[in-house]
Amino acid sequence: MYNPKSHKAEEFIAHEEVLASLEYAEKNKNNLKLIDEILSKAKKGKGLSHREAAVLLDCEIEEKNNEIFALAEKIKKDYYGNRIVLFAPLYLSNYCVNGCVYCPYHSQNKTIPRRKLSQEEIKNEVIALQDMGHKRLAIEAGEDPENNPIEYILDSIKTIYGVKHKNGAIRRVNVNIAATTVENYKKLHEVGIGTYVLFQETYNKETYERLHPTGPKHDYAYHTEAMDRAMQAGIDDVSLGVLFGLELYRYEFSALLMHAEHLEAAFKVGPHAISVPRLRKADDVNPDEFDNGIDDDTFAKIVACIRIAVPYTGMIISTRESEECRKRLLHLGISQMSGGSKTSVGGYFNPMPEDENSAQFDISDRRPLDEVIRWLMELGYLPSFCTACYGSGRTGERFMEICKEQQIHNFCQPNAILTLKEYLDDYASEQTRAIGYKLIHGEFDKIKDEKIKEATKTYLERIEAGERNFRF
Ligand code: SAM
């Protein structure tokens, strides 16, 4: 029944295979010999199978767990250096016809104010986001064919790309909307989206159906097979995720990696990124009513094991998590994070009083973007606003090839420096700017390729003179 190449959810996420890998992990969680074998394979930086990764996740030998964390950190450095890519979510509409019990957008919720942005309001949001310094957005919307039809989403994307304000521009719009048809994915592809993002929420079919009792999202197979349809439509950057807290984390972990293996087996392109959201308090949602919440230590282990299992896949953490938690996870594998986020509809241009806002969930890290950037630099990271891969056709299989050969540094490092310089000149506070210029100096010295170094130097001078958008 288990067949990673099949396009049927019940075959590429075969329940029996998930259970078998959990059993295998349970049986081997203290098997030193096997754990050592898996670790030596992992050290080659080419990834692990879901069964192997499940053993590491369950491993109870302290010394080996320390090795797992150290290896995750090493792989993170080898593949991503010290760069962290920044983005912000943009909530377009919270109208929704689904009944997801963990999400306050569910159709039975009569207390949350419903809002949908007009194209004029979207422009205002985008200007506010550009004035913060953002270049990359993830648009979010509830599922509602009448209020949020695909035409509305497409118009919104065109509006976002069309806003040119001062030196600002949104260069990559990632899209997080409900599972849809191949035809609609084609339309999204044509309008030039970056990554298509869809969280599975839970891979366990029974739990999934119970937590999504009504609406089109109830259909487990349709939701789980969405990435196949997106890829068939030509979207080759897709981003996976589960909502941790809904189901046993071990189940989700194995199934998530099986999903990644499936995309690789069926399309030769693994997921561009994996998100690791945890359930948060929201309007009429209390996370304490769910049994499967995970603590920070377990969460860190999950992130480390994903990093080791799929080294070439980006990992995303949102402002659902606190500053402290984000700091810990950055070391272990996170390569992208949101900053200065608002999860309410229209929240950037016109923040609403807490009690009447339309937020999807409470955010934990509420710092403005400037503070996040400064904090990242103080921790030794290089914040990046780069979107060049997408602009230069380095997507899908081509991106993965470059990534797997660890060549991506040659583009990413100078691009991070150039985009940070633009950010500092255009948007940063004095304090952030001072730290940033020093950092750029140090990072520039690290560029090894002389030609790239020379070109970066020229570009930095031209940015200083007021020109923009130099990328490798
Ligand atoms: N409506 C789209 C769909 O059906 O996939 C996606 C957009 S939704 C705005 C984005 C994600 O927020 C969901 O996929 C879910 O994982 C997450 N989410 C919903 N309620 C949440 C909560 N209470 N805490 C944390 N994340 C939540």
Side-chain angles (χ1 to χ4, degrees):
M1 180 87 147
Y2 174 50
N3 177 5
K5 277 198 175 156
S6 159
H7 294 291
K8 284 195 180 142
E10 67 198 40
E11 293 178 5
F12 66 79
I13 309 285
H15 180 59
E16 310 79 58
E17 175 54 27
V18 183
L19 294 183
S21 75
L22 298 191
E23 206 182 307
Y24 180 71
E26 170 66 26
K27 219 167 75 194
N28 289 296
K29 64 188 179 191
N30 288 304
N31 181 341
L32 187 62
K33 186 170 170 283
L34 179 68
I35 291 170
D36 270 337
E37 275 168 24
I38 296 173
L39 277 169
S40 17
K41 179 177 172 193
K43 279 176 190 154
K44 295 188 181 126
K46 304 267 184 263
L48 295 175
S49 72
H50 62 279
R51 281 201 184 202
E52 292 162 337
V55 173
L56 295 191
L57 185 70
D58 272 11
C59 168
E60 284 185 344
I61 307 168
E62 197 184 334
E63 194 195 326
K64 293 296 140 188
N65 278 334
N66 292 338
E67 244 180 81
I68 290 168
F69 284 118
L71 180 59
E73 220 168 317
K74 182 177 182 307
I75 290 178
K76 155 93 200 262
K77 279 196 193 122
D78 289 349
Y79 277 81
Y80 301 90
N82 59 346
R83 297 178 301 279
I84 300 290
V85 169
L86 276 304
F87 75 98
L90 171 56
Y91 281 76
L92 299 178
S93 164
N94 64 0
Y95 283 92
C96 193
V97 297
N98 286 313
C100 319
V101 302
Y102 52 84
C103 177
Y105 289 2
H106 68 87
S107 59
Q108 298 301 311
N109 187 350
K110 304 292 177 223
T111 57
I112 196 165
R114 299 286 170 177
R115 291 205 65 201
K116 169 188 169 182
L117 298 178
S118 67
Q119 299 305 315
E120 207 45 44
E121 287 170 320
I122 292 173
K123 273 189 203 156
N124 290 335
E125 290 288 285
V126 172
I127 288 172
L129 283 155
Q130 288 186 7
D131 279 341
M132 288 160 68
H134 277 296
K135 298 275 188 276
R136 178 189 290 243
L137 300 183
I139 57 168
E140 315 272 339
E143 180 167 18
D144 185 330
E146 265 178 41
N147 285 299
N148 319 327
I150 191 72
E151 290 71 25
Y152 169 70
I153 304 291
L154 298 170
D155 286 349
S156 304
I157 296 168
K158 286 182 206 154
T159 299
I160 295 167
Y161 280 134
V163 177
K164 299 281 178 290
H165 163 71
K166 298 186 184 164
N167 281 338
I170 299 302
R171 307 202 161 274
R172 181 172 176 125
V173 179
N174 297 335
V175 175
N176 183 2
I177 60 163
T180 187
T181 58
V182 173
E183 210 172 73
N184 286 347
Y185 285 127
K186 274 189 187 149
K187 291 179 185 165
L188 287 170
H189 183 50
E190 277 158 19
V191 83
I193 67 162
T195 308
Y196 174 64
V197 183
L198 184 69
F199 299 159
Q200 178 63 30
E201 322 300 8
T202 173
Y203 282 98
N204 184 312
K205 186 167 186 274
E206 228 181 277
T207 310
Y208 182 96
E209 287 172 349
R210 182 166 41 80
L211 296 176
H212 304 93
T214 55
K217 196 166 170 177
H218 176 74
D219 187 337
Y220 175 84
Y222 190 72
H223 188 83
T224 312
E225 291 159 10
M227 295 312 190
D228 292 63
R229 293 194 298 282
M231 287 216 170
Q232 279 153 12
I235 297 175
D236 52 7
D237 278 354
V238 300
S239 189
L240 307 178
V242 290
L243 187 53
F244 285 104
L246 300 181
E247 172 52 89
L248 293 171
Y249 72 87
R250 290 185 170 90
Y251 192 101
E252 306 295 23
F253 177 84
S254 282
L256 178 68
L257 292 180
M258 282 163 70
H259 201 172
E261 283 165 19
H262 158 63
L263 295 177
E264 177 96 40
F267 298 98
K268 294 208 193 92
V269 192
H272 185 77
I274 289 180
S275 289
V276 286
R278 279 196 291 188
L279 187 64
R280 294 280 303 162
K281 185 180 164 309
D283 187 66
D284 68 343
V285 178
N286 176 5
D288 296 339
E289 288 169 10
F290 293 77
D291 296 333
N292 296 309
I294 48 169
D295 60 27
D296 288 354
D297 289 343
T298 309
F299 196 34
K301 183 94 186 274
I302 292 171
V303 168
C305 290
I306 295 177
R307 178 67 302 135
I308 293 172
V310 280
Y312 53 86
T313 297
M315 279 185 83
I316 303 175
I317 194 84
S318 75
T319 55
R320 288 177 183 87
E321 300 300 335
S322 68
E323 173 183 336
E324 220 27 59
C325 180
R326 297 203 320 156
K327 180 177 165 187
R328 183 174 182 191
L329 302 181
L330 277 171
H331 289 296
L332 299 176
I334 297 298
S335 55
Q336 283 188 40
M337 60 163 45
S338 47
S341 305
K342 293 276 167 39
T343 61
S344 51
V345 181
Y348 293 106
F349 179 69
N350 188 16
M352 297 237 185
E354 207 65 41
D355 58 342
E356 56 174 275
N357 83 17
S358 53
Q360 192 188 20
F361 49 79
D362 280 2
I363 56 180
S364 191
D365 185 346
R366 294 170 173 270
R367 293 171 297 167
L369 183 65
D370 183 75
E371 218 177 302
V372 174
I373 298 293
R374 192 163 64 241
W375 167 76
L376 283 171
M377 296 192 298
E378 282 167 350
L379 292 174
Y381 292 103
L382 174 62
S384 173
F385 289 91
C386 185
T387 56
C389 282
Y390 163 66
S392 342
R394 290 195 293 265
T395 64
E397 202 174 341
R398 164 115 179 82
F399 174 82
M400 288 299 164
E401 270 167 22
I402 299 173
C403 243
K404 286 178 186 170
E405 289 159 17
Q406 295 185 29
Q407 284 298 310
I408 204 81
H409 283 310
N410 293 338
F411 304 105
C412 293
Q413 182 73 357
N415 283 341
I417 293 173
L418 297 171
T419 56
L420 178 62
K421 166 77 175 152
E422 290 182 354
Y423 170 81
L424 295 170
D425 284 7
D426 289 341
Y427 307 106
S429 65
E430 279 304 319
Q431 202 188 349
T432 304
R433 207 172 277 161
I435 298 170
Y437 288 158
K438 227 162 134 191
L439 177 76
I440 286 180
H441 207 79
E443 293 296 327
F444 175 80
D445 285 344
K446 288 188 211 158
I447 300 176
K448 291 200 183 81
D449 186 306
E450 280 309 317
K451 268 196 195 143
I452 292 181
K453 197 165 186 168
E454 199 46 42
T456 306
K457 185 166 177 269
T458 313
Y459 290 165
L460 282 170
E461 284 163 4
R462 291 175 69 179
I463 294 171
E464 183 78 31
E467 290 182 67
R468 291 292 174 267
N469 300 320
F470 301 104
R471 304 284 184 271
F472 291 95

